[in-house]
């Protein structure tokens, strides 16, 4: 029971740190500070609150994904999701690998799972925008990037993609 209590305390501390970082991210007035805060958030997200083994598995799967070993990475991320479905980052990494595999609808489904657990996940929202672009759902992509801008005003992908998507929609209407 003591471990369970420590896990709750760790979770509360983690949530408090994330809340502080997201407040700082929203108020940040320069890109370098925003990037510093972003890295701290990714570090928290990528570290399982109680199981170091899952953190290591996530890192291993991420490494495989970066090498293009998508099927192996997918298997690792699926194992993480099955064993720890409440950990948003397992879902996020699997959504990313599904996107890279061209399995867009499955990726969207996993992104929904991420956002149920962490509605401020700017990485998942940006990924959602990319998936919608692949599916030629440009209005939905804009909505994803607008949601990102509210959370992380300095994220360059949102600043770049929204005007490009609006132009694309306008050009297609002609």
């Amino acid at each position: 029971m003591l471990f369970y209590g420590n896990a709750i305390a760790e979770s509360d501390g983690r949530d408090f740190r994330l809340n502080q970082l997201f407040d700082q991210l929203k108020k940040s007035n320069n890109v370098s500070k925003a990037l510093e805060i972003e890295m701290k958030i990714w570090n928290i997200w990528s570290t399982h609150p109680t199981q170091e083994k899952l953190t290591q598995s996530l890192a291993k799967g991420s490494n495989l994904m970066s090498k293009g070993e998508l099927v192996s990475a997918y298997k690792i991320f699926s194992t993480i999701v099955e064993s720890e479905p409440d950990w948003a980052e397992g879902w996020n990494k699997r959504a990313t690998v599904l996107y890279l595999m061209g399995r867009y609808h499955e990726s969207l489904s996993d992104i929904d799972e991420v956002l149920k657990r962490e509605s401020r996940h700017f990485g998942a929202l940006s990924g959602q925008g990319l998936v919608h672009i692949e599916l030629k759902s440009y209005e939905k992509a804009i909505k994803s990037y607008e949601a990102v801008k509210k959370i992380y005003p300095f994220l360059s992908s949102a600043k770049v993609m929204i005007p490009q998507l609006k132009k694309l929609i306008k050009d297609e209407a002609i």
Side-chain angles (χ1 to χ4, degrees), residues 22-40:
F22 276 107
D23 285 343
Q24 292 170 18
L25 188 63
K26 196 177 279 192
K27 295 173 186 171
S28 179
N29 57 8
N30 70 66
V31 175
S32 61
K33 182 66 177 166
L35 286 171
E36 181 184 316
I37 296 165
E38 175 189 347
M39 294 314 298
K40 289 178 182 178

Side-chain angles (χ1 to χ4, degrees), residues 76-112:
I76 288 172
F77 299 141
S78 292
T79 300
I80 291 170
V81 165
E82 289 163 17
S83 68
E84 192 63 34
D86 290 333
W87 189 26
E89 202 53 32
W91 291 101
N92 185 55
K93 293 297 186 196
R94 193 170 80 171
T96 303
V97 81
L98 285 165
Y99 168 80
L100 293 171
M101 296 169 99
R103 294 164 60 181
Y104 303 125
H105 293 285
E106 290 171 87
S107 180
L108 281 178
S109 179
D110 277 11
I111 290 168
D112 288 344

Side-chain angles (χ1 to χ4, degrees), residues 61-70 73 77 93 96-97 100:
S62 298
N63 188 37
L64 289 167
M65 186 169 50
S66 70
K67 292 180 187 177
E69 297 178 34
L70 303 181
F77 299 141
K93 293 297 186 196
T96 303
V97 81
L100 293 171

